Amino acid sequence: MNEALIFDTVRTPRGKGKKSGSLNEVAPVQLAAKVLKSLESRNNLNTEDVDDVVLGCVHPIGEQGADIARTAVLEANWHQTVSGVQVDRFCASGLEAVNIAAAQVMSGQSSLSVGGGVESMSRVPLGSSGGAWMADPTVAYNSYFVPQGISADLLATKYNYSRNDVDSYAVSSQKRASEAWKDNRFKNSIIPVKDQNDLPILEVDEYMRPDTTMQSLGALDPSFEKMGEHGFDDIAILKYPEIESIKHVHHAGNSSGIVDGSAGVLIGNKEMADKYNLKARARIRSFASIGSEPTIMLTGPADSAEKALKKANMNVSDIDLFEMNEAFAAVVLRFMEALKVDHSKVNVNGGAIALGHPLGATGAIILGTVLDELERRDLSTGLITLCVGAGMGTATIIERV
Amino acid sequence: MNLNNIKLFVDEHNVANLSLQSNSILINEEFINDFIEAINFICNNKKIKGVIISSDQGKYDYDYDLNFLLSLTNAKAIFDFITKFSKTLRKLETIGKPIVSLIEGEIKLCGLEIILHSHYRIALDDSKTNFYFKNIKYSLIPSIGGSQRLPRLVGINESINLFLSNKILSAEEALKIKLIDEIVKEKEQLINAARHYIVNNPVSLQKWDNKKIQSNKLNPFSSQNLGYFISKNASLHANTADHYPSVKVLISSIYEGLNTDVNSGLKIEARHITWLIQNIETRSMIETTILHKSTEKIQEDIIQKFKSSFEENYAAEGVRLLINGVSAPLIENAGKRLDFNAGPLEIADSNEIQCVINHLDSTDAAVASLIRSMQKINRNGLSNDKGFYDYKKGIKHNIWPDLINLIPPSKIQPSIEEVETRLLYSSINNIFYNFIKHSAIKDPKICDLMLIKKIGFPFWTGGAFNWVKKYGIDFFNKKSNEYSKVFGSRFVVNPDILKILKSF
């Protein structure tokens, strides 16, 4: 098997995912094309050598529809021979795209590929692609469908995470993200978004609230209590009858932010490294996706991490740093408890609670974040994982070379 | 044309007047064959300019012949029966000539389904004209296109609300929601209004067959409807737990049908109803309620005796489960999932926890001791806002947090299904015990009807006798014997009951 080498990681800053957000004026295909152009220029690529561009996108409809990966290839003016494919594994789509690109290289079917993702949540809102999972009565009944926020609160209830626990976690995410920006730790990957006149549109992650405190979070009402009262709490309890009632602890301040953004990871084999004189920053050790119980939905990261560790013949203690997507605070708390990982190794530069979670792109973003940090600290191994809708988890292990 | 169920004549304006004869209250094979013959006559007669459908007594008091439907046990036979009628209605609906229904008097679900295929519905606006809906939860969903045509006519939300209600709509109310198209004040005006429509609409078709009318209102994936289905799925599922399959089948039939056209929708509906007729819970509920049996003859004091014994026994079994180390939420949720009125501990509270003492035997010392310790600290039940639950002015708040200190739950908990089975078996054996003891009700079918209508025994079972019969007498007896060895003699099945069950 060939080694899948990571040459470069880039991402846009994350804009607030609403009309007043800075990236709302930028079409998602342009965000993705900027990422591709940046990979091309930073690595002096002749794009004819790129076999495939795999992009995660969770709502592939409207302006994100019709295979946005190939559309972005064309818009980036890459060579026409470069194919593009859009993939959807919900919140892990960006990481799944990286894994697919890596698999192409490992299997020898591609020499150079891009894995990444894009989501303009301000323009193609959450939930806009519908789906049988939640809408089709037979499917919703049989799978005991509840929206993700209810799952997060169910998880917190089942594993006894109090409002205090989840809020404390959120405060630390904001602090870490703020320190990371002050220290310019994202500089290697971040590419400012500029217009056709080279005027800047967005240069920093704008969702952050560094002044967040326990008091300011305490003032927020739980987001999913009303939703729960309309039947979803009962559905969760039908599936988890040991629970008396769901404690609604999650709100906008301890859940991932809705943002716009895009990211890409350039992956190739040794021949390509030699041809372009590219430094292999890391290699992909292993990756795995799993399915888990869909109503609680968000317990997959620990299972997928374990599966990836087993495939890499590694233990939890072999991993220097973890990026566990902060979809909801309780998800990370549960991940750390299940894997017995200390918070000092997890999301050391903050996460989606502070910085935001552009669904299709996040997996590729946080892979770049952990690789940059491994280099800064001169550590070796990183594990990236995300919880995934409908009860799944995806994980990837990278190792610096 | 004079058939048993239908009269048909073509008048001087070449309008076919089709009159349903009210001696045929039940829709069965004979009715359908007559109907097909009449429709074929209309379709083959090119001179006919339009059709007026009426009912000779002014009533559309039709119902399915449920006995006949239940007698069909083979899926293909059910499907063929349903689609035979449905296809005929569809044939008439798409004939291209105006079809008008005249409505007066009582109209029930099946009658409504017959008139829904007409292009124009005119009702007499008097106090006798009423549309009777009957909650489909305990029976069957519409089977000749109702789940496809009603939502297309009155909207998704309105149609689901109507099917799941016992509403009675006047002609005016029916007009308001566009269930009908016109109301007239005098009986004589009905026929004139119908002729007027036919003259002015020589070519007529349903709005759902009109390709010029494109509406996003009925698209399940419009943002409004998507949100509606997501939340309706949950609230209906939550209200029925995993029972009452017709509710799930109804919303499925509507959702699936609206993702396609009426022709496919009718097939989808027929497949759903075919499945539903074979479903064990549906059959149980219909069998127990079908025969228009009455519980009126049962004396009120007998009903009360059954009810209080049933509730106290259920509460006592809940407390015993607690003593056995089962967690309180699991016990309460098991009761709710079974569709008892409430969990056993909540029932204990509402009847005062002292009620549990009435049902204890010599092996229940720990239960008695728990009740006394709670009484000592004034946790007597709902009346003083403290029992197994904490209440605030009579409103249930949460399970008493200190209960786990008094009776710590075991580390390993049983499955919810095990808890449900024990509660159900205990309840059934309590009912059988009282059936023998009171001997006032001789007929187990009447007993079953009383149980589901008056006592609060889960409706979906069709009653205790029916449930045991459906799930297997030998199995029930064997499992009861196992329970009696572990948990006490209250699970022993009386030999007379076994005889009754076998001849039931």
Side-chain angles (χ1 to χ4, degrees):
Chain A
M1 192 168 66
N2 302 318
E3 274 195 335
L5 304 169
I6 299 174
F7 301 130
D8 198 8
T9 61
V10 296
R11 73 164 173 102
T12 67
R14 285 169 262 192
K16 286 181 187 169
K18 47 186 177 183
K19 296 277 175 257
S20 59
S22 299
L23 295 183
N24 179 254
E25 60 174 292
V26 185
V29 68
Q30 298 300 343
L31 290 177
K34 279 173 202 303
V35 163
L36 296 184
K37 280 182 194 161
S38 165
L39 286 174
E40 178 188 357
S41 62
R42 282 161 60 123
N43 299 287
N44 295 315
L45 296 180
N46 173 0
T47 56
E48 207 171 351
D49 279 329
V50 180
D51 289 295
D52 202 6
V53 171
V54 188
L55 292 184
C57 180
V58 179
H59 291 303
I61 61 157
E63 55 180 338
Q64 292 182 163
D67 190 354
I68 194 168
R70 171 64 176 166
T71 316
V73 164
L74 298 176
E75 180 56 23
N77 202 23
W78 278 25
H79 201 277
Q80 65 178 17
T81 54
V82 184
S83 57
V85 60
Q86 173 265 326
V87 297
D88 176 17
R89 199 190 286 284
F90 300 125
C91 298
S93 301
L95 190 61
E96 184 61 40
V98 170
N99 293 347
I100 290 172
Q104 291 177 356
V105 173
M106 287 165 150
S107 64
Q109 307 308 306
S110 289
S111 303
L112 193 60
S113 283
V114 174
V118 59
E119 204 84 37
S120 175
M121 298 179 77
S122 72
R123 293 168 68 120
V124 187
L126 201 62
S128 41
S129 60
W133 173 34
M134 63 288 277
D136 186 317
T138 307
V139 179
Y141 261 71
N142 293 349
S143 65
Y144 295 81
F145 167 80
V146 298
Q148 223 163 60
I150 300 289
S151 303
D153 286 340
L154 169 63
L155 184 74
T157 306
K158 185 168 167 63
Y159 293 101
N160 285 316
Y161 302 131
S162 66
R163 171 72 185 254
N164 200 57
D165 296 335
V166 287
D167 282 358
S168 306
Y169 182 85
V171 171
S172 84
S173 176
Q174 293 284 359
K175 275 205 181 109
R176 289 177 175 193
S178 161
E179 278 164 24
W181 264 105
K182 270 183 206 153
D183 207 18
N184 219 3
R185 289 182 209 164
F186 300 124
K187 66 174 186 298
N188 287 345
S189 293
I190 211 139
I191 47 163
V193 177
K194 294 177 180 172
D195 73 0
Q196 58 270 51
N197 312 298
D198 218 26
L199 296 173
I201 297 175
L202 184 67
E203 297 177 306
V204 295
D205 293 321
E206 66 175 351
Y207 183 82
M208 289 193 299
R209 290 168 181 267
D211 51 353
T212 300
T213 62
M214 289 300 280
Q215 285 73 21
S216 63
L217 291 183
L220 297 172
D221 287 333
S223 299
F224 309 106
E225 193 164 67
K226 271 235 155 61
M227 188 188 271
E229 284 167 7
H230 289 115
F232 290 115
D233 280 1
D234 289 334
I235 300 297
I237 291 171
L238 270 178
K239 189 80 191 188
Y240 288 84
E242 68 273 25
I243 286 170
E244 183 188 352
S245 59
I246 307 293
K247 291 187 209 107
H248 293 285
V249 297
H250 287 98
H251 51 73
N254 56 31
S255 309
S256 52
I258 290 171
V259 295
D260 303 336
S262 181
V265 179
L266 185 66
I267 298 168
N269 59 19
K270 195 166 177 312
E271 287 72 48
M272 283 295 146
D274 295 343
K275 179 169 180 180
Y276 287 99
N277 197 19
L278 290 171
K279 182 184 178 309
R281 294 171 63 194
R283 62 191 171 113
I284 307 265
R285 280 287 300 259
S286 69
F287 53 82
S289 287
I290 60 94
S292 60
E293 199 287 296
T295 302
I296 204 161
M297 204 186 301
L298 309 169
T299 56
D303 299 336
S304 58
E306 278 170 352
K307 189 172 171 184
L309 284 166
K310 202 174 165 195
K311 284 194 181 300
N313 216 0
M314 295 168 88
N315 295 312
V316 175
S317 58
D318 296 327
I319 302 297
D320 296 321
L321 292 175
F322 294 83
E323 278 290 321
M324 148 81 272
N325 184 37
E326 294 174 351
F328 301 91
V331 179
V332 190
L333 294 177
R334 177 58 199 154
F335 173 80
M336 294 191 293
E337 190 179 339
L339 251 56
K340 300 187 178 68
V341 185
D342 194 81
H343 189 194
S344 62
K345 285 184 168 188
V346 181
N347 303 344
V348 294
N349 289 326
I353 289 173
L355 299 162
H357 173 23
L359 305 180
T362 306
I365 292 178
I366 61 178
L367 183 140
T369 300
V370 81
L371 181 50
D372 287 343
E373 188 63 15
L374 288 172
E375 288 169 346
R376 195 182 73 86
R377 296 187 182 198
D378 197 19
L379 295 170
S380 172
T381 54
L383 187 150
I384 305 100
T385 182
L386 302 93
C387 57
V388 182
M392 292 190 281
T394 295
T396 303
I397 297 172
I398 60 170
E399 183 180 35
R400 284 178 62 213
V401 289
Chain B
M1 182 182 277
N2 271 321
L3 304 165
N4 275 345
N5 298 289
I6 284 163
K7 270 188 194 157
L8 175 67
F9 75 93
V10 180
D11 65 19
E12 67 273 24
H13 309 291
N14 280 323
V15 170
N17 290 260
L18 189 155
S19 167
L20 305 171
Q21 303 299 292
S22 64
N23 57 354
S24 55
I25 293 294
L26 293 175
I27 304 255
N28 53 26
E29 195 125 49
E30 190 198 80
F31 178 92
I32 291 176
N33 287 337
D34 284 1
F35 200 86
I36 291 172
E37 199 176 331
I39 301 308
N40 284 341
F41 174 82
I42 292 169
C43 293
N44 295 333
N45 192 330
K46 295 215 166 91
K47 268 197 259 168
I48 289 174
K49 294 198 164 126
V51 183
I52 298 173
I53 297 174
S54 62
S55 181
D56 78 328
Q57 300 277 312
K59 279 185 177 179
Y60 287 87
D61 186 10
Y62 293 92
D63 209 341
Y64 305 104
D65 186 344
L66 291 171
N67 275 315
F68 173 70
L69 280 179
L70 291 199
S71 75
L72 303 172
T73 48
N74 166 300
K76 184 159 189 321
I78 301 170
F79 186 75
D80 287 348
F81 175 78
I82 297 290
T83 46
K84 197 167 150 186
F85 195 20
S86 185
K87 274 182 188 163
T88 307
L89 289 169
R90 182 71 183 140
K91 191 173 172 185
L92 185 61
E93 182 179 63
T94 54
I95 192 175
K97 298 169 185 176
I99 317 290
V100 184
S101 290
L102 307 183
I103 304 151
E104 51 184 321
E106 289 177 18
I107 181 155
K108 290 187 178 161
L109 186 56
C110 199
L112 177 73
E113 283 195 87
I114 294 175
I115 62 145
L116 280 181
H117 80 283
S118 55
H119 305 154
Y120 199 72
R121 288 164 288 278
I122 309 164
L124 178 62
D125 185 17
D126 70 358
S127 61
K128 285 181 196 154
T129 302
N130 286 303
F131 294 79
Y132 287 81
F133 286 88
K134 198 172 171 199
N135 194 339
I136 58 93
K137 179 178 174 183
Y138 308 108
S139 185
L140 297 176
I141 65 161
S143 54
I144 44 173
S147 76
Q148 301 307 308
R149 293 190 179 95
L150 194 64
R152 283 172 169 86
L153 209 53
V154 302
I156 301 170
N157 184 19
E158 185 82 68
S159 69
I160 289 177
N161 288 346
L162 286 171
F163 284 133
L164 294 175
S165 77
N166 293 317
K167 271 190 191 161
I168 302 167
L169 299 184
S170 67
E172 205 169 315
E173 288 166 325
L175 181 69
K176 208 172 162 188
I177 62 165
K178 297 181 179 158
L179 180 57
I180 56 174
D181 304 283
E182 185 179 344
I183 52 177
V184 294
K185 293 285 176 197
E186 306 293 334
K187 191 172 163 64
E188 296 69 37
Q189 294 174 301
L190 281 170
I191 189 80
N192 293 334
R195 285 177 182 152
H196 185 255
Y197 178 82
I198 289 169
V199 169
N200 288 295
N201 297 275
V203 177
S204 182
L205 73 169
Q206 297 283 28
K207 66 172 182 179
W208 45 84
D209 290 320
N210 187 345
K211 293 198 171 74
K212 287 179 193 159
I213 304 174
Q214 294 286 342
S215 167
N216 201 35
K217 268 189 188 163
L218 293 166
N219 174 4
F221 286 94
S222 74
S223 60
Q224 195 186 349
N225 291 338
L226 177 63
Y228 172 80
F229 275 109
I230 292 172
S231 99
K232 201 71 182 175
N233 291 341
S235 62
L236 294 180
H237 190 178
N239 287 336
T240 50
D242 288 325
H243 300 293
Y244 307 103
S246 49
V247 175
K248 177 184 176 186
V249 163
L250 173 79
I251 189 169
S252 295
S253 182
I254 291 175
Y255 164 88
E256 292 167 21
L258 289 176
N259 275 306
T260 174
D261 71 350
V262 170
N263 290 319
S264 293
L266 291 171
K267 285 187 253 177
I268 287 165
E269 181 191 82
R271 291 184 200 286
H272 275 304
I273 190 110
T274 301
W275 178 87
L276 198 57
I277 288 169
Q278 299 171 88
N279 177 271
I280 195 166
E281 283 190 20
T282 318
R283 297 180 79 87
S284 298
M285 287 189 278
I286 293 173
E287 279 165 11
T288 301
T289 52
I290 193 177
L291 296 169
H292 307 290
K293 289 172 302 212
S294 171
T295 55
E296 278 165 27
K297 284 183 190 157
I298 308 172
Q299 289 166 346
E300 191 55 34
D301 68 313
I302 293 292
I303 294 173
Q304 279 315 314
K305 276 180 188 162
F306 266 91
K307 190 170 196 289
S308 58
S309 176
F310 164 70
E311 288 189 353
E312 288 166 8
N313 171 77
Y314 172 63
E317 201 63 45
V319 182
R320 287 189 191 102
L321 282 159
L322 204 57
I323 297 290
N324 296 151
V326 182
S327 82
L330 197 62
I331 298 167
E332 294 298 88
N333 286 328
K336 282 181 242 168
R337 273 168 49 127
L338 281 168
D339 198 38
F340 282 93
N341 288 337
L345 303 178
E346 192 181 344
I347 295 283
D349 279 353
S350 58
N351 290 356
E352 299 293 279
I353 65 168
Q354 173 70 21
C355 78
V356 168
I357 302 287
N358 299 341
H359 277 263
L360 302 187
D361 60 34
S362 54
T363 60
D364 284 326
V367 177
S369 160
L370 172 66
I371 296 295
R372 295 218 176 84
S373 344
M374 287 178 64
Q375 287 170 332
K376 262 184 209 160
I377 50 170
N378 280 326
R379 299 199 71 91
N380 298 316
L382 178 59
S383 63
N384 66 339
D385 272 354
K386 284 183 294 194
F388 288 104
Y389 283 82
D390 285 330
Y391 301 83
K392 281 182 183 161
K393 291 183 182 165
I395 306 290
K396 185 178 80 176
H397 204 255
N398 52 267
I399 293 173
W400 178 35
D402 283 339
L403 188 61
I404 53 167
N405 301 326
L406 214 56
I407 301 287
S410 306
K411 281 228 167 82
I412 295 169
Q413 291 288 311
S415 71
I416 186 85
E417 289 80 11
E418 281 176 68
V419 183
E420 285 182 63
T421 307
R422 186 163 149 196
L423 287 172
L424 192 59
Y425 272 63
S426 176
S427 299
I428 291 173
N429 278 308
N430 165 269
I431 285 153
F432 288 165
Y433 171 84
N434 284 315
F435 185 83
I436 298 291
K437 182 181 168 190
H438 298 303
S439 69
I441 310 168
K442 298 276 186 279
D443 184 350
K445 288 183 179 171
I446 296 284
C447 180
D448 273 353
L449 193 63
M450 174 191 74
L451 292 174
I452 60 175
K453 288 212 157 170
K454 307 269 184 182
I455 307 291
F457 193 77
F459 207 109
W460 59 267
T461 60
F465 288 95
N466 202 334
W467 188 86
V468 173
K469 185 87 182 173
K470 282 277 181 331
Y471 289 86
I473 299 163
D474 292 339
F475 183 82
F476 175 78
N477 194 30
K478 189 166 160 256
K479 182 90 187 163
S480 290
N481 275 330
E482 286 167 23
Y483 274 142
S484 71
K485 281 173 196 148
V486 187
F487 301 119
S489 59
R490 64 186 178 282
F491 284 99
V492 175
V493 186
N494 185 309
D496 289 340
I497 285 291
L498 289 175
K499 272 185 219 156
I500 293 167
L501 280 167
K502 277 171 189 159
S503 62
F504 172 60

